[in-house]
Every structure is written in C-alpha cells, then in structure tokens.
Amino acid sequence: MRDVYIVGIGMSKWGEVWQQSLRDLHTDAALKAIENAGVDHIDGMYTGCMTGGMFIGQEHLASLLTDYMGMSGIPAVRVEAACASGGMAIRAAFIEIASGMSDIVMASGVEKMTDCSGEEATQALAAAADQEYEVFHGATFPGLYALMANAHMAKYGTTRDMLSAVAVKNHHNGSMNPVAQYPFKVSMDQVANSVMVADPLHILDCSPITDGAAAAILCTKEVAKATGKPYIKILGSGAGTDTIQLSQRADLTTIKAATIAADSAFKMAGKTIKDMQFAEVHDCFSIAEIMVAESIGKFEPGKAGPAILNGETALDGAFPMNPSGGLKSKGHPVGATGVAQIAEVYKQLTGQAENGRQIPNSPKIGMTQNMGGSGGSSVVHIMEVA
Amino acid sequence: MRDVYIVGIGMSKWGEVWQQSLRDLHTDAALKAIENAGVDHIDGMYTGCMTGGMFIGQEHLASLLTDYMGMSGIPAVRVEAACASGGMAIRAAFIEIASGMSDIVMASGVEKMTDCSGEEATQALAAAADQEYEVFHGATFPGLYALMANAHMAKYGTTRDMLSAVAVKNHHNGSMNPVAQYPFKVSMDQVANSVMVADPLHILDCSPITDGAAAAILCTKEVAKATGKPYIKILGSGAGTDTIQLSQRADLTTIKAATIAADSAFKMAGKTIKDMQFAEVHDCFSIAEIMVAESIGKFEPGKAGPAILNGETALDGAFPMNPSGGLKSKGHPVGATGVAQIAEVYKQLTGQAENGRQIPNSPKIGMTQNMGGSGGSSVVHIMEVA
C-alpha cells in the first residue's frame, strides 16, 4: 500500500443557510479545498451524504456535484453510512490512493437539512435507525441516545454536570471557529436548564440540524510535496459496524463499532491511544462524546465524564477533544461531519487553527472518530505531521 | 496494485417479491454468494443501493445488512451512483483488494421498489435526474430516454423495429434465466403494440420496477485458488461521469460517461473493444442498449440498431449482448443491477449459465457496462477466465 497524505481542506459556512442549495454548499467547500491544496485537477471524488433523497429529493449526487464543480467526467460516487458517511468518504479516498489507482482524490461531504420541515428532518434522520424495529415503534435519535445516557448514568454514576461539561467545552472551542453554526459559549446552568428533549438530554446536549459541506484533498507524497503546501500523513484507517438496534446490543454503555474501528486504525498506524495528542470525536449528543472517549480506549469505562468535567479534554488539557467545537457547536450536516473532523485535524497539525483555537505546543499526531446513527457504524483515522 | 478475482456470486429471485423485505432479499443473495465462493468469512462489504430512504425509509443499510448476515462488526458502507450503484460497489471492492488492505470483500446490491405506490416509485427514481432543472419541470425517466430516442432516430434513422429487436432479444435470453422477473418471450408486434409510455417508448421498451439483490465475492488469487471454486480475473475497472441534465449535453445521441468508463477500463486491462466476446449492458430502455453499444465503441454511431436487428448481438451472434436477459427481462432493482451484470459474466465465463443461456464456444473474456440515471454516471468492468 502506498502512503497517503492530506494537502488541503475546504469548508462552507455551516448553519441554517438559505442562500445556498446543496450543490452550492458542496461547490463552495470543494473549490476551497482545491485552492487550499494547490492542485490543478483531481482524479476522482467520493462524497459522503446521508440522505439527499429524504432531505431534498436528490440522489445521484456525486455526478451532479462534479458537474457543478466544473469537473464532469471524472469518476465520482457517493458513500453512505448515515452520520459516518463523511469519514467513510475519507476512507474510500485513502484506499484508492493507497491502491495506486489514483494520485489525487477528493473526499467530500455535504448535507442540506433545513429545506424541509422539522418533522421531515426528524424522519430523515431516523432512517439511520432500524425502521422496522425502532422507528416504527416511535424511537427518535434523541430518544435512543437518552436510553444510552440513562444506562451509562445508572452503571457508572455519570452525572448531569458531566453531560453539561461536554457542551460547555465544545461551545467554548466552537466560539473560535469561523464556520461554526453556533459560535457562542454556554454555561453549565444554561445547558442544565435548557428545554428537555428526551430525559436526561436537554436541547443543549444535542447537536443541531445544519446545512454544510466539507472537502479534503488526499494524494501521494510526490503530489503533496510538489504543491508546496503544508501536508499531513494518514497513518491508519479503521472502520467497524455493530447491530443498529439497541435492543440487540450486549451493552448499551459502550460503542462497539468505535472500539473496532479504533483498534483497526491503531493497528494499521502502529500506534496506540497513548500516542494520540488530541481527537475530534462524534459528539452528536453530549453522552456520545463520553461513551466514545471510553470506547476508543482513552478513558476506562465510567471515567470519561469525570475527566471532561475536570478539564482534561479542554483545549489546554492533557488530551483536547473536539477543538473544532464538535458537532455540538460547529453543527452537524450529517454527511459532512466526518470530513470536517479531518479538516480540523489538518488545521491543528499544520498550525492553522483560527482565533486562539490552536492546541498549545504544536501537536504532532491526532485522530478522528466518526459515527453512524446510534453507533451502527464507526470510522477512525490517525494522522501525523508529515 | 494486486490482481483481483471473483470467486462466487449469489442472487435472490427477482420480481415483485412480497414475501421478502429489503434485508431478507440482501441476506438471501449475500449468503448464497458466500456459499458459492466457499469462503468462511469476508473482510468487508460495499453495498450498492440507490435510495433505501425514498423507497422504504431506511438508510444506513450496510451496517444493517451485515448484522442480518450474521457478520456485524466488519467494515461496511453503502455506495450510490443511482442505477450504477451496483457497479460502483464492485469497483470499490476491486480497489480495496487491489490496495492490499483486504483479501476478501463482498460487493452487493439491493433495491426494494414495490413497497410503495407507483407514484412514489416514479418520484424515487426521478431522484437520479436533476431535481431542480428536470424533475421539478415534469421530466420522468421514460420521458428523458424518449428525448434521447427521438434524437437518435432523427440523426441516424433508428427505427421502431430496431428498438423492438432489443426487447425481443433480451426477453428471449431472459426466458432462460431462473431469477428473471419476466422470463417470457415477446414478439416484435407485441413490443410495437404495447401501451405507449413516452413516445416513442412503449411499455415493452422499458425495464420494470423490481425487488431484488445480488452479491459477488472479490478476492486475491491466493484466496480464490484455495477455495477450489471456479474464478475469473478482473482485468480493468473504469468509471466516468457526465452532466446529469440532458439540456447541458453537447449530443443527446451518445452516452459520454459510458465512453469515458469504457476507455478507462480498456486502458487498465490492456485490451480494446475488439477483444471483447460479449457484454452485459445497461438496457434500462431499449434505446439505452443501442446508445451504449455505440458509446463503448462496439458499433459506429447509428450502426448498433441495425446490428441488433440483424441478430449480431443474439446469444449465438458475433457479439452477444445481455445474455442474462438484461434489465429488460431480468428486472431492474436499481442498486442490484450492476452486481447482477457481474454475476452473469461470472456464470458465462465459468460455463455455468443455466437452461441453454450459455454463450456458445466458451467465451474467455467479457465486459459489463452499468449506468446511472440518464447517463450521469457509468462504470465498466472487463473480466477474463483466470
């Protein structure tokens, strides 16, 4: 397998974006990534999108989007693993370059979630759960994560304050991110007193509905060097699945797919969690960040909540988590999220994080963890300064 | 890049299948493929599906389906390029094995199209066209292909009989295919006198709405040999895109994406169209088979219709096309079609085509051409007896 590098990234402004359609959002991020990378063409494209069909009635996206980028003709395909679609696009591009088939591949992600009613958006997102065994019986995503939160609280004594601390930290980081949907800070009290969605999850425990796109340029070392731009190396890529239905899982307090994906990525990279200096993780709900931090092996079960509450994962802590602001503050256009995590790691490792969001002491190695639905899919990448 | 082989295939029975849900259909084909290949595990899975979301409200399919196969945990992702999703799944599995990342990967495809109204199915299929510039203005797929058919007839004198000959040939072949949805023969008169859908396309010019799944096991030579089962080699994989909107194309009488994909696959294989002994092509409408046969270079523009009418592409002709019965007779569960094309080539090259459908004189090399929408995407594979 050939070594694979990332040489540039691009993001649209995230939020409730009425002035850009899905194709506009994607073109925005894609052209920024190409310019940022300093390449004059791409050999192909993988685009993560969860459900263009249910949100805006448009499938066949990869073909449509290459056309709007002015690059019609190149091989292009959409990949989908619910909210892990973006990370899976990165993984597919990684494999294609590793194989020797292509030298420069774009991995992108996009979702346009606000061109429908809130009820339609909830229905579209629920397509990531098991329709026949969960959704038809009334489950929604906040409800599924609330079940996991209650199980985690019962088993490990995880508290309201620990959940709130995730939101407070991520909004603090996101307040320095120029593309974030909600770049404001929140207090522990604000989170705890925000409207209840599904007990114990309040609205400030939940990531928002977001329009947005992100893109990254993956390439060989020769291409990366020739651009003259900063680049980082992908050391490992891992993916895993688990049963989608919560009712079929042995343990509701851990994300097995994230453990499988992380183990696989660490093995490929020849690294362990102890080598990691920071992580972008999938905080679709506050409880998710806690569970993921334990599932990837950073903290013992039940120990992530206290660590987050104690500031160990703050920007200036021992192991910063979600320096970008995470899904919580930055927003969560589901298909784009996994690519945006990679974009943040690229910025952090190349010293380009804006507005004081840069992790102190120039980190040299970091990771991403992206997740589909309630943990039915997960994908992990390990990246290092080249 | 490592060499890649196909060592087994599986298909569900295709048709209006009320007794199997999407997950049942896929499990059926997937487990048949694993048994057919004689492997005891798979390292990962790529599943082609156009729109589980719009047809049955279910996304996140790859995770769900590995669970139902009893293989939860393995990396799995859905790929989508409208009706070319299945071919793209084959291509992704090919690249993963070529890269050295995995030794045994399943490529599968599935679509469950009849659990909704005809109007909903038409709307779901239309998501492969450009919503903003075609569908909102009333275009449907038969309408888009009718425009291309009229253009082809006007430019090259393509006739009603030539269109009918495609349907007659493919239904003849499909009558010998045990999984075909419509395994009956049709006459030239029956096609020409069937109900009009979009002038000049009658209903017997159109492929049907189908429930079905298909799967193939791709692997290294070492794995293929160890199984003791017949295997074939993938010599080349090519993919291409074109603008989705017909209004933006320079020429309505050719499928540019198919030309790009075929050229790319031939280049990788070190072969030309002249080396090919047969092809499975994307006959979603009778005119599509004619246009594709020209776009991949088998016939000069305007010459495919007369050749098909003269029997040159019959099972015992100089260049058999769609020995399986094609989309026309076998059915067209959109995400599964590209994988089923590969399954037919595997059967033909290993001498296993049933009921007299075997091409005479044991062909040694063949190709597939799979297409998304009205030609916005295309993927071509070249395979040879190992």
Side-chain angles (χ1 to χ4, degrees):
Chain A
M1 292 177 63
R2 301 197 298 179
D3 289 337
V4 182
Y5 297 79
I6 300 174
V7 72
I9 57 97
M11 288 185 65
S12 71
K13 174 77 178 79
W14 287 15
E16 188 166 357
V17 184
W18 290 355
Q19 70 278 24
Q20 288 181 306
S21 68
L22 183 144
R23 56 190 86 187
D24 298 326
L25 289 166
H26 186 273
T27 302
D28 186 354
L31 297 186
K32 281 177 180 161
I34 287 170
E35 188 180 353
N36 186 241
V39 293
D40 63 0
H41 75 286
I42 56 175
D43 297 325
M45 184 175 84
Y46 291 91
T47 298
C49 180
M50 177 181 154
T51 180
M54 294 181 81
F55 281 120
I56 60 162
Q58 181 69 62
E59 307 282 12
H60 206 180
L61 286 176
S63 168
L64 183 82
L65 297 173
T66 49
D67 185 17
Y68 272 77
M69 288 155 61
M71 295 174 196
S72 191
I74 62 169
V77 67
R78 168 182 164 221
V79 297
E80 184 265 323
C83 323
S85 300
M88 287 296 194
I90 295 284
R91 180 174 162 85
F94 169 82
I95 295 172
E96 182 160 331
I97 291 170
S99 77
M101 195 146 170
S102 299
D103 292 336
I104 314 175
V105 177
M106 176 179 287
S108 60
V110 64
E111 210 80 49
K112 180 68 180 174
M113 302 173 73
T114 69
D115 280 359
C116 59
S117 68
E119 193 181 321
E120 287 167 332
T122 298
Q123 198 174 13
L125 287 169
D130 189 314
Q131 284 293 312
E132 296 181 18
Y133 291 92
E134 294 181 326
V135 183
F136 289 172
H137 307 281
T140 61
F141 265 96
L144 293 168
Y145 274 95
L147 287 170
M148 293 192 272
N150 279 313
H152 204 274
M153 292 167 108
K155 187 165 178 183
Y156 298 115
T158 301
T159 63
R160 173 69 256 162
D161 277 357
M162 295 172 193
L163 296 176
S164 297
V166 173
V168 171
K169 167 180 70 67
N170 290 352
H171 274 279
H172 173 82
N173 296 347
S175 71
M176 297 173 273
N177 189 336
V179 303
Q181 178 173 14
Y182 292 135
F184 51 75
K185 296 179 187 178
V186 297
S187 68
M188 295 290 281
D189 279 352
Q190 282 175 315
V191 181
N193 295 320
S194 64
V195 66
M196 182 68 83
V197 176
D199 191 11
L201 302 176
H202 297 249
I203 194 135
L204 284 175
D205 288 297
C206 309
S207 60
I209 300 285
T210 311
D211 302 326
I217 305 292
L218 282 69
C219 62
T220 60
K221 183 157 195 173
E222 293 66 37
V223 170
K225 271 181 135 170
T227 63
K229 302 289 182 105
Y231 54 92
I232 63 174
K233 184 176 178 182
I234 302 180
L235 297 181
S237 173
T241 50
D242 190 9
T243 175
I244 289 184
Q245 281 180 66
L246 292 191
S247 62
Q248 296 298 308
R249 293 193 191 163
D251 185 351
L252 282 190
T253 64
T254 185
I255 306 283
K256 192 172 144 191
T259 306
I260 295 169
D263 288 351
S264 169
F266 288 137
K267 189 178 169 193
M268 183 185 292
K271 302 283 181 186
T272 73
I273 185 72
K274 293 191 176 121
D275 297 311
M276 298 300 111
Q277 295 179 318
F278 70 103
E280 281 282 306
V281 301
H282 198 92
D283 59 324
C284 49
F285 296 90
S286 54
I287 185 64
E289 179 162 323
I290 291 172
M291 289 172 68
V292 165
E294 295 167 359
S295 301
I296 61 175
K298 182 62 200 174
F299 299 101
E300 292 295 309
K303 303 297 183 196
I308 293 166
L309 188 59
N310 293 337
E312 291 178 38
T313 63
L315 212 51
D316 59 355
F319 185 76
M321 277 170 52
N322 284 326
S324 71
L327 288 57
K328 187 66 209 71
S329 164
K330 186 168 79 262
H332 183 27
V334 284
T337 284
V339 180
Q341 292 180 324
I342 296 286
E344 179 68 11
V345 170
Y346 177 81
K347 287 197 168 186
Q348 292 288 349
L349 291 180
T350 57
Q352 300 185 66
E354 305 91 339
N355 304 336
R357 203 172 81 252
Q358 182 66 47
I359 296 170
N361 305 317
S362 308
K364 297 284 178 289
I365 187 166
M367 66 183 287
T368 57
Q369 180 275 333
N370 186 202
M371 188 149 72
S374 57
S377 299
S378 189
V379 53
V380 168
H381 285 100
I382 317 285
M383 284 143 287
E384 193 176 48
V385 170
Chain B
M1 290 177 64
R2 302 197 298 179
D3 290 337
V4 183
Y5 297 79
I6 300 173
V7 71
I9 57 97
M11 288 184 64
S12 71
K13 174 76 178 80
W14 286 15
E16 188 167 355
V17 184
W18 290 356
Q19 70 279 23
Q20 288 181 305
S21 68
L22 183 145
R23 56 189 88 187
D24 297 328
L25 289 166
H26 187 274
T27 303
D28 185 353
L31 296 186
K32 279 176 181 161
I34 287 171
E35 188 180 352
N36 186 241
V39 294
D40 62 1
H41 75 285
I42 55 175
D43 297 326
M45 184 174 85
Y46 291 92
T47 299
C49 180
M50 178 183 154
T51 180
M54 293 181 83
F55 281 121
I56 60 162
Q58 181 71 63
E59 307 283 10
H60 207 183
L61 285 175
S63 168
L64 184 83
L65 298 173
T66 48
D67 186 17
Y68 272 78
M69 289 156 60
M71 295 172 196
S72 189
I74 62 169
V77 67
R78 169 183 164 220
V79 298
E80 185 265 322
C83 321
S85 301
M88 287 297 193
I90 296 283
R91 179 174 163 87
F94 169 83
I95 295 172
E96 181 161 332
I97 291 170
S99 77
M101 195 147 170
S102 299
D103 292 336
I104 314 176
V105 177
M106 176 178 287
S108 60
V110 63
E111 211 80 50
K112 178 69 179 173
M113 302 172 72
T114 70
D115 281 0
C116 60
S117 69
E119 193 181 320
E120 287 168 332
T122 298
Q123 197 173 14
L125 288 169
D130 190 313
Q131 284 293 312
E132 296 180 19
Y133 292 90
E134 293 181 327
V135 184
F136 289 172
H137 307 280
T140 62
F141 266 96
L144 293 169
Y145 273 96
L147 287 170
M148 294 193 271
N150 280 314
H152 204 274
M153 292 167 107
K155 187 165 181 182
Y156 298 115
T158 301
T159 64
R160 171 70 256 163
D161 278 356
M162 294 173 195
L163 296 176
S164 298
V166 173
V168 171
K169 167 180 70 69
N170 290 353
H171 274 278
H172 173 81
N173 296 349
S175 71
M176 296 175 273
N177 189 336
V179 303
Q181 178 172 15
Y182 293 135
F184 51 75
K185 296 179 186 176
V186 297
S187 68
M188 296 289 282
D189 279 352
Q190 281 175 314
V191 181
N193 294 319
S194 64
V195 66
M196 183 67 84
V197 176
D199 191 9
L201 302 177
H202 296 249
I203 195 137
L204 285 174
D205 287 298
C206 309
S207 60
I209 300 284
T210 311
D211 302 326
I217 305 292
L218 282 70
C219 62
T220 60
K221 184 157 195 174
E222 293 66 38
V223 170
K225 272 182 136 169
T227 63
K229 301 291 182 103
Y231 55 90
I232 62 174
K233 184 176 177 182
I234 301 180
L235 297 181
S237 174
T241 49
D242 191 9
T243 174
I244 289 184
Q245 282 179 67
L246 292 191
S247 62
Q248 295 299 308
R249 294 192 191 162
D251 185 350
L252 282 190
T253 64
T254 186
I255 306 283
K256 192 172 146 191
T259 305
I260 295 170
D263 288 350
S264 169
F266 288 136
K267 189 178 170 194
M268 184 185 291
K271 303 283 180 187
T272 74
I273 186 71
K274 294 193 174 117
D275 298 311
M276 299 299 110
Q277 296 180 318
F278 71 102
E280 282 281 306
V281 301
H282 198 92
D283 60 321
C284 48
F285 296 91
S286 53
I287 185 64
E289 179 162 322
I290 291 171
M291 290 173 66
V292 165
E294 294 167 358
S295 301
I296 61 175
K298 181 62 199 174
F299 300 101
E300 293 294 311
K303 302 298 183 194
I308 293 166
L309 188 60
N310 293 337
E312 290 178 38
T313 64
L315 212 50
D316 59 356
F319 186 75
M321 277 172 50
N322 283 326
S324 72
L327 288 55
K328 188 65 210 71
S329 164
K330 184 166 83 261
H332 184 27
V334 283
T337 283
V339 180
Q341 292 179 324
I342 296 286
E344 180 69 11
V345 170
Y346 177 80
K347 286 195 168 186
Q348 292 289 348
L349 290 180
T350 57
Q352 300 185 66
E354 305 91 339
N355 305 333
R357 203 172 80 253
Q358 181 67 45
I359 296 170
N361 304 318
S362 307
K364 298 284 180 288
I365 187 167
M367 67 183 287
T368 57
Q369 180 274 334
N370 185 200
M371 188 149 72
S374 57
S377 298
S378 188
V379 53
V380 168
H381 285 100
I382 317 284
M383 285 143 287
E384 192 176 47
V385 170

